[in-house]
Amino acid sequence: MKFVEVAVDAPISENKTFSYSVPPDMSLEVGHLVLVPFGKRMLQGIVVETGVIPSVENTRDVSEIVFSDPIIDSFRMKLAMWMSEYYICSIFDSTSLMFPVGSHNRSETLISIGNSPEPFVGSEFQSKIRSFVRDHESISLERILSRFGGRARASIDVLVNKGELQKDIKTPKPSVRPKYRYVPVMTELGVKAIRESDLSRSPKQKAALEYLLNDRSGLTMPRLRKLFGSQPVKHLLAKEFIYQVKEKISRDPDLGVPHRNILNSTSLTFEQKNAAELASHIIREPEFSPRAMLLYGVTGSGKTEVYLNAVDTCLSEGKRAIILVPEIALTPQTIDRFSSRFPGDIAVLHSGLSPGERYDQWWKIKNGHYRLVIGSRSAIFAPQPDLGLVVIDEEHEWAYKQNEGSPKYHARDVSMHLAGITKAAVILGSASPDIESYQRAIRGRYKIAKLQNRFKKVEVLSENMEVSDNALTSHMASVKVVDMREELKGGNTDIFSRELISNLKQTIDDGNQAILFLNRRGSHGFIQCHECGLMQRCRSCDVGLTFHSDTNSLICHYCSASRRFTNVCTDCGGGNLSKYGVGTQLVAERFRELFPGVPAVRWDKDAAKNLKDYRNILRGGGLS
């Protein structure tokens, strides 16, 4: 008999596994997602080890395999074991980060009325539980416990033993599955029927066959039924004039239109060339140490060109790469830059995609369809085979830290450990590196390359055209700090300083563009009563509510609770409320007042709610 060690989806200590026997008709490997009995429940588990001596004398059989193929390879299993110990979580919690979306589901216990022939005899509490179940026909155990409390569990067990109630376990299945469509195909009998006019008395059947004969690409069975009716199509199937083929649909995300690659890949500055050569050396030499490189480049210094060069080297070595960006909003522009260099070779993984898109992208990546994966922090767990390079752009960003759920992890540290397992190279890019990363580079744990000059794009008209380093660099922008207290003393009560208004006017007159950055949504940050001094707060979170002028509402930016603004204090009933603070909505409104007719786009979480809105802005669309 064969045995396996399984990490079960249960609240257990790190590195804890359980022994199960493998049925004779089942073949298991490390990384298989399975269903196993655990106490009275049926839980998911991941096979961690095979062919072992069981840790207990009596073992239970593995019940079912969720996916026919292992979903975690040996490299990522080692990563999961390390995460379990380092972040103090169960092995299943760490491996679940690497599952295809919709695969991690827990079993559900359903309670229904039993078929006991005896009259009901029990306590008043048991009677209430029984009546509650009868009213709902079939209800989950969790809902019963939520209604009656934890002590109901013992009463339910008593009622189940008496036959008054029946307990069933609903086996968890993946909530996201492959998508298929059924396509009609004409048979030789169908072609013969048209040619010999056998369907003269069935005009709709004949019309359907003639429609198919024109080789309608993309036609599906539902569409055919809608055009010619269900009964005619049913008769065509029965007569074997047509049959239907099941085709798998790939739910690929819209990657957008790639930008034109303006700069020739060889037109790098001296600093960029040095950085690219260092990255190439690390990638080409698997035994080179250290395997990580900090690309410390000022804003606009051309770090992305170094990334592109490094990815090109990685792919030429027969390896694959993962590119991490801190925010979903940065993904479209990153995709555009990389897809212009590597068209048709890029997968995307982030929470902004639909579950179906993420599911299909995950399986395509695992099957080796893409050599490059771009996404936010969770993309580091993509099943990318033959990994040779991980790029972490803006590595200092807090968004690389997962602070919710279990395990809580840092994508940078996970990347480093994964690179150590797979012998991949890691490039950390930032204009203001994290202090830990910079200190590690100083101490020699990372290699370091600096880009101290800004990079200016120059269109290369010919491969023989020589471009000097001076033509490829530009000076840093000048910064001027304006004290708004001095503006107020000078009589300016506007939210814009006179210096800013003047520079905006000059920029617009010159035909250029401007960005006004403010890290606060809404119109005003908080509302305060002049009579009692109370600040209007969220009833649930006890934080100040933000005023949004477009909806005339007060919104909590923690829980999204909202209420209509009535200019009446909720404490004293006074009607003298004042608005304080400045948000992006107020800035946009004031800009339009100062510069009427000038196109302006407000880009914040309220205006751009999804990836489609982000792409619309980047393509020149307008959002109010």
Side-chain angles (χ1 to χ4, degrees):
M1 183 175 291
K2 297 180 180 179
F3 301 92
V4 291
E5 287 294 314
V6 178
V8 181
D9 182 17
I12 54 180
S13 61
E14 67 274 12
N15 290 332
K16 178 66 174 177
T17 60
F18 296 88
S19 299
Y20 286 88
S21 51
V22 182
D25 59 344
M26 186 181 293
S27 177
L28 289 178
E29 299 177 26
V30 172
H32 260 124
L33 183 63
V34 295
L35 294 176
V36 294
F38 193 80
K40 297 180 180 181
R41 297 176 293 169
M42 187 69 65
L43 300 180
Q44 285 186 334
I46 195 78
V47 177
V48 175
E49 194 176 354
T50 61
V52 297
I53 298 175
S55 56
V56 293
E57 184 176 352
N58 296 318
T59 59
R60 304 167 76 179
D61 284 351
V62 174
S63 297
E64 188 179 340
I65 301 177
V66 178
F67 295 106
S68 58
D69 297 324
I71 60 174
I72 297 179
D73 59 26
S74 59
F75 295 121
R76 283 156 184 87
M77 184 59 71
K78 291 179 182 179
L79 177 66
M81 299 291 283
W82 170 80
M83 290 182 65
S84 172
E85 183 176 353
Y86 188 76
Y87 292 112
I88 313 177
C89 65
S90 70
I91 297 174
F92 188 89
D93 282 345
S94 59
T95 54
S96 65
L97 297 170
M98 309 171 194
F99 292 177
V101 63
S103 302
H104 182 196
N105 297 301
R106 289 186 168 88
S107 60
E108 184 179 26
T109 302
L110 300 177
I111 307 297
S112 57
I113 290 294
N115 51 7
S116 174
E118 302 295 330
F120 173 71
V121 178
S123 66
E124 182 181 354
F125 184 61
Q126 292 174 354
S127 178
K128 289 181 179 179
I129 294 175
R130 187 176 180 276
S131 298
F132 183 73
V133 173
R134 185 180 62 245
D135 293 341
H136 292 81
E137 295 184 1
S138 180
I139 189 170
S140 69
L141 176 62
E142 285 72 16
R143 283 193 61 188
I144 300 175
L145 297 177
S146 176
R147 172 68 174 80
F148 295 98
R151 65 193 182 102
R153 192 183 296 274
S155 296
I156 292 171
D157 290 339
V158 172
L159 292 173
V160 169
N161 292 332
K162 289 182 178 180
E164 298 292 342
L165 296 180
Q166 182 176 334
K167 183 184 292 187
D168 297 299
I169 297 177
K170 184 179 179 182
T171 304
K173 297 289 184 181
S175 59
V176 184
R177 298 180 182 180
K179 186 177 181 180
Y180 297 94
R181 67 178 179 182
Y182 291 90
V183 178
V185 179
M186 188 184 301
T187 65
E188 292 183 4
L189 288 175
V191 176
K192 183 178 180 182
I194 293 178
R195 291 175 178 173
E196 297 181 359
S197 301
D198 289 347
L199 297 172
S200 57
R201 295 183 180 181
S202 305
K204 288 189 176 180
Q205 295 180 36
K206 182 179 180 181
L209 288 178
E210 289 176 345
Y211 191 82
L212 273 172
L213 195 60
N214 292 328
D215 190 21
R216 302 281 181 175
S217 58
L219 181 65
T220 61
M221 290 297 294
R223 175 64 177 166
L224 189 66
R225 291 188 181 98
K226 186 176 181 180
L227 290 173
F228 302 101
S230 297
Q231 285 301 318
V233 173
K234 182 179 180 181
H235 291 314
L236 290 174
L237 288 169
K239 295 175 182 177
E240 296 185 353
F241 288 167
I242 65 172
Y243 66 95
Q244 55 186 4
V245 176
K246 185 179 181 181
E247 290 184 355
K248 188 175 182 179
I249 300 175
S250 181
R251 293 161 288 192
D252 294 331
D254 176 19
L255 301 184
V257 181
H259 293 158
R260 185 168 60 97
N261 190 18
I262 296 176
L263 190 67
N264 191 296
S265 60
T266 60
S267 302
L268 303 177
T269 65
F270 178 75
E271 291 178 333
Q272 287 177 317
K273 289 176 183 176
N274 288 339
E277 288 174 1
L278 176 59
S280 297
H281 182 67
I282 297 174
I283 294 168
R284 288 194 173 103
E285 299 294 336
E287 301 303 322
F288 183 82
S289 182
R291 303 291 302 152
M293 163 186 163
L294 176 62
L295 183 60
Y296 183 4
V298 297
T299 303
S301 58
K303 293 186 290 293
T304 304
E305 287 297 325
V306 178
Y307 301 156
L308 289 165
N309 192 285
V311 171
D312 200 10
T313 302
C314 176
L315 301 186
S316 67
E317 292 291 309
K319 297 290 186 177
R320 302 170 190 265
I322 295 176
I323 311 295
L324 300 183
V325 294
E327 296 289 347
I328 296 174
L330 298 177
T331 311
Q333 63 197 66
T334 306
I335 292 169
D336 286 350
R337 292 294 302 277
F338 280 87
S339 62
S340 66
R341 186 74 66 87
F342 311 104
D345 218 0
I346 296 175
V348 180
L349 275 183
H350 56 68
S351 59
L353 304 179
S354 69
E357 289 174 338
R358 291 166 62 192
Y359 182 90
D360 288 351
Q361 288 282 282
W362 191 95
W363 281 105
K364 280 189 170 184
I365 293 168
K366 180 175 175 57
N367 293 329
H369 285 234
Y370 302 106
R371 296 190 295 171
L372 185 59
V373 176
I374 298 177
S376 50
R377 67 171 173 256
S378 60
I380 190 59
F381 301 111
Q384 183 75 303
D386 300 321
L387 185 64
L389 174 66
V390 177
V391 175
I392 308 178
D393 192 27
E394 306 296 343
E395 64 89 24
H396 63 277
E397 285 283 352
W398 64 269
Y400 286 119
K401 293 182 179 181
Q402 168 68 355
N403 295 318
E404 298 176 358
S406 176
K408 298 175 175 61
Y409 65 88
H410 197 311
R412 183 188 64 209
D413 295 337
V414 173
S415 300
M416 291 297 175
H417 198 79
L418 178 61
I421 296 171
T422 60
K423 298 293 184 181
V426 179
I427 299 178
L428 308 171
S430 177
S432 52
D434 183 270
I435 190 66
E436 293 181 26
S437 300
Y438 187 70
Q439 189 65 24
R440 286 169 182 168
I442 295 299
R443 292 180 176 178
R445 288 186 60 184
Y446 302 161
K447 287 291 184 180
I448 186 169
K450 294 185 178 181
L451 304 178
Q452 298 176 324
N453 296 298
R454 298 190 72 188
F455 180 76
K456 181 170 64 176
K457 290 183 179 180
V458 176
E459 187 163 359
V460 179
L461 302 178
S462 170
E463 293 183 359
N464 298 324
M465 178 179 174
E466 293 185 2
V467 181
S468 66
D469 283 346
N470 291 333
L472 294 173
T473 60
S474 61
H475 298 292
M476 293 291 292
S478 60
V479 177
K480 184 175 183 180
V481 178
V482 177
D483 190 342
M484 293 302 291
R485 293 172 298 182
E486 296 299 323
E487 290 282 316
L488 189 60
K489 291 178 183 178
N492 179 25
T493 59
D494 203 333
I495 61 172
F496 292 172
S497 68
R498 288 169 292 191
E499 181 83 14
L500 178 56
I501 295 174
S502 174
N503 279 276
L504 282 173
K505 186 177 184 305
Q506 184 64 46
T507 300
I508 294 169
D509 291 343
D510 293 342
N512 295 322
Q513 295 177 312
I515 297 177
L516 301 177
F517 178 77
L518 183 64
N519 60 339
R520 192 171 299 279
R521 294 154 50 201
S523 297
H524 299 279
F526 65 96
I527 308 294
Q528 191 171 28
C529 177
H530 267 290
E531 297 181 17
C532 67
L534 180 73
M535 185 171 71
Q536 302 300 296
R537 294 179 176 272
C538 175
R539 296 184 180 93
S540 301
C541 307
D542 198 35
V543 297
L545 295 171
T546 301
F547 175 69
H548 287 248
S549 59
D550 57 346
T551 57
N552 192 37
S553 59
L554 298 176
I555 299 178
C556 174
H557 287 172
Y558 281 77
C559 68
S560 300
S562 64
R563 69 169 187 258
R564 187 173 180 79
F565 177 64
T566 59
N567 202 33
V568 176
C569 179
T570 56
D571 188 41
C572 68
N576 190 9
L577 300 182
S578 295
K579 307 179 184 72
Y580 298 94
V582 178
T584 51
Q585 285 186 20
L586 184 61
V587 170
E589 292 168 4
R590 183 57 183 149
F591 178 87
R592 293 189 180 98
E593 292 173 0
L594 291 170
F595 305 97
V598 177
V601 172
R602 175 167 60 88
W603 190 351
D604 56 26
K605 192 175 181 180
D606 299 313
K609 296 181 173 63
N610 51 50
L611 194 61
K612 183 178 179 181
D613 291 338
Y614 288 122
R615 289 172 177 163
N616 189 36
I617 292 176
L618 290 172
R619 292 171 181 170
L623 291 174
S624 61

